[in-house]
Amino acid sequence: MTVISVPMDFNAEDLYVDLRSIVGQALFLKCEGFNFAGSIKLKAASEMVAAAERNGVLKPGCVLVESSSGNLGVALSIIAASKGYGFLCVTDARCNLSARRFMEAMGGRVHIVAEPTAEGGLLGARIAHVAALCAADERYVWLNQYANADNWRAHYRTTAPAIARRFPQLDVLFVGAGTTGTLMGCARYFREWHRRVRVVAVDSVGSVTFGGEPGRRMIPGLGTSVRPALLDESYVDDLVRVEEADTVRACHRLARRGFLFGGSTGTVVSGAVEWLSRHDGHEVTAVAIAPDLGERYLDTIYQTNWLQALYGEGVLATEELAADVGSA
């Protein structure tokens, strides 16, 4: 029996889904959504808050403020409620309504930025808004998930060792790239490990993280319009870019087998399957990290009208999904 007194103390660290029968490749999916925040972001949020408290930056009476597309904001709203801090999330319209309502239920506030900046897009506008808030009121504390080394340290200390324990013969690890905290923490850990592990980053088409052309991205989570300060490409062995329509198809493919995952997970799975199919991955031990679950996406990637308006009526062609499942 597990008994906790604060929500940060619970996380299902060792749950994996064997996707072989669904995607036709030898791929294990590490599920990070079974905690009170519903995503892997609870790890980074906990590490960054604890470090800020140790350093004397975060004190009673402070208000945490952060730019987030949803999941980190949810995690910070839980921690703030548990510890008695105020919380303000700066986001944009792509943030799922359920995530915004969750943060407000925790006593947090949400500011929605509507106009992108010329260079940094909506993310640049969000960061500028956070900076203005901090300049105007000394109570605000910005942890800055995009540049805070405690973001990647959280995964260096928890996520990567957990994978190493369960898969001592790991050959390839697929990690989605958002702030690149998970990617950098895992890549740094496995670079120091006793055997070679190939780390493959999975990014969204339209993201500039790895120098791609900026483009429309409607699914929150992975990808950025400003290159993350945490990223060190020397730790990344390969890169796969995924179209959002393929993210949607991957999510629905999993859902038709009873697994409801979020958009970030759909992107990672789609990228992993593509890479494995190109590299004859049947003889390798491969793990992909699933950052989130799918409940917060029921009004978007699992909603027919939303999908058809953005990606066209053929995005979920029945025969294509049937072929996907039949090929497993």
Side-chain angles (χ1 to χ4, degrees), residues 65 88 90 125-138 140 142:
V65 59
L88 170 60
V90 178
R126 281 160 35 186
I127 292 173
H129 187 68
V130 170
L133 288 169
C134 292
D137 191 332
E138 63 182 11
Y140 285 114
W142 181 27

Side-chain angles (χ1 to χ4, degrees), residues 37-261:
S39 83
I40 196 170
K41 289 292 189 178
L42 185 61
K43 292 178 175 178
S46 298
E47 190 83 16
M48 291 189 295
V49 167
E53 290 176 330
R54 287 194 305 269
N55 297 333
V57 175
L58 188 57
K59 297 171 286 191
C62 285
V63 178
L64 286 165
V65 59
E66 186 59 76
S67 161
S68 170
S69 61
N71 282 340
L72 185 79
V74 166
L76 285 174
S77 72
I78 290 173
I79 295 172
S82 176
K83 290 177 171 285
Y85 299 120
F87 176 64
L88 170 60
C89 180
V90 178
T91 189
D92 57 65
R94 294 172 298 181
C95 178
N96 295 321
L97 179 60
S98 60
R100 283 149 48 187
R101 287 176 172 168
F102 190 114
M103 289 183 270
E104 290 169 346
M106 293 292 111
R109 293 177 291 146
V110 179
H111 285 187
I112 300 175
V113 171
E115 294 297 327
T117 60
E119 295 297 325
L122 286 168
L123 176 55
R126 281 160 35 186
I127 292 173
H129 187 68
V130 170
L133 288 169
C134 292
D137 191 332
E138 63 182 11
R139 293 176 303 161
Y140 285 114
V141 174
W142 181 27
L143 298 175
N144 191 1
Q145 62 167 327
Y146 311 102
N148 191 327
D150 290 302
N151 185 345
W152 68 256
R153 288 191 187 105
H155 304 288
Y156 181 92
R157 294 170 178 167
T158 60
T159 309
I163 294 170
R165 286 193 301 271
R166 296 300 177 187
F167 295 90
Q169 299 303 313
L170 181 67
D171 294 305
V172 58
L173 177 66
F174 298 96
V175 189
T179 65
T180 69
T182 307
L183 174 64
M184 286 293 96
C186 291
R188 288 173 187 270
Y189 179 89
F190 283 110
R191 181 65 61 87
E192 300 169 2
W193 207 34
H194 67 274
R195 69 188 306 272
R196 170 75 170 165
V197 173
R198 193 175 184 90
V199 175
V200 180
V202 183
D203 197 13
S204 302
V205 171
S207 166
V208 305
T209 299
F210 293 91
E213 288 294 320
R216 185 188 75 165
R217 292 179 297 108
M218 300 304 297
I219 300 174
L222 300 185
T224 64
S225 55
V226 177
R227 179 183 167 89
L230 294 178
L231 177 62
D232 183 343
E233 291 186 54
S234 69
Y235 286 94
V236 179
D237 297 302
D238 208 347
L239 169 67
V240 180
R241 289 187 172 94
V242 176
E243 295 278 0
E244 285 197 332
D246 291 325
T247 292
V248 168
R249 283 189 279 267
C251 287
H252 282 258
R253 186 176 178 182
L254 292 167
R256 292 190 180 199
R257 300 296 289 271
F259 294 104
L260 191 72
F261 284 106

Side-chain angles (χ1 to χ4, degrees), residues 17 19 23-30 172-177 198-203 222 238-243 246-247 250 253-254 264-282 284-290:
V17 177
L19 294 181
V23 302
Q25 297 287 346
L27 179 65
F28 294 93
L29 189 63
K30 187 180 193 306
V172 58
L173 177 66
F174 298 96
V175 189
R198 193 175 184 90
V199 175
V200 180
V202 183
D203 197 13
L222 300 185
D238 208 347
L239 169 67
V240 180
R241 289 187 172 94
V242 176
E243 295 278 0
D246 291 325
T247 292
R253 186 176 178 182
L254 292 167
S264 297
T265 299
T267 301
V268 173
V269 169
S270 179
V273 170
E274 178 191 333
W275 190 95
L276 290 169
S277 65
R278 287 190 284 108
H279 292 80
D280 191 19
H282 290 86
V284 302
T285 299
V287 171
I289 297 176

Side-chain angles (χ1 to χ4, degrees), residues 277-315:
S277 65
R278 287 190 284 108
H279 292 80
D280 191 19
H282 290 86
E283 301 302 321
V284 302
T285 299
V287 171
I289 297 176
D292 54 2
L293 301 177
E295 288 88 346
R296 290 177 193 147
Y297 297 82
L298 291 175
D299 293 329
T300 52
I301 61 177
Y302 293 105
Q303 211 282 328
T304 302
N305 292 338
W306 188 89
L307 288 178
Q308 291 182 351
L310 290 173
Y311 307 108
E313 293 188 2
V315 67

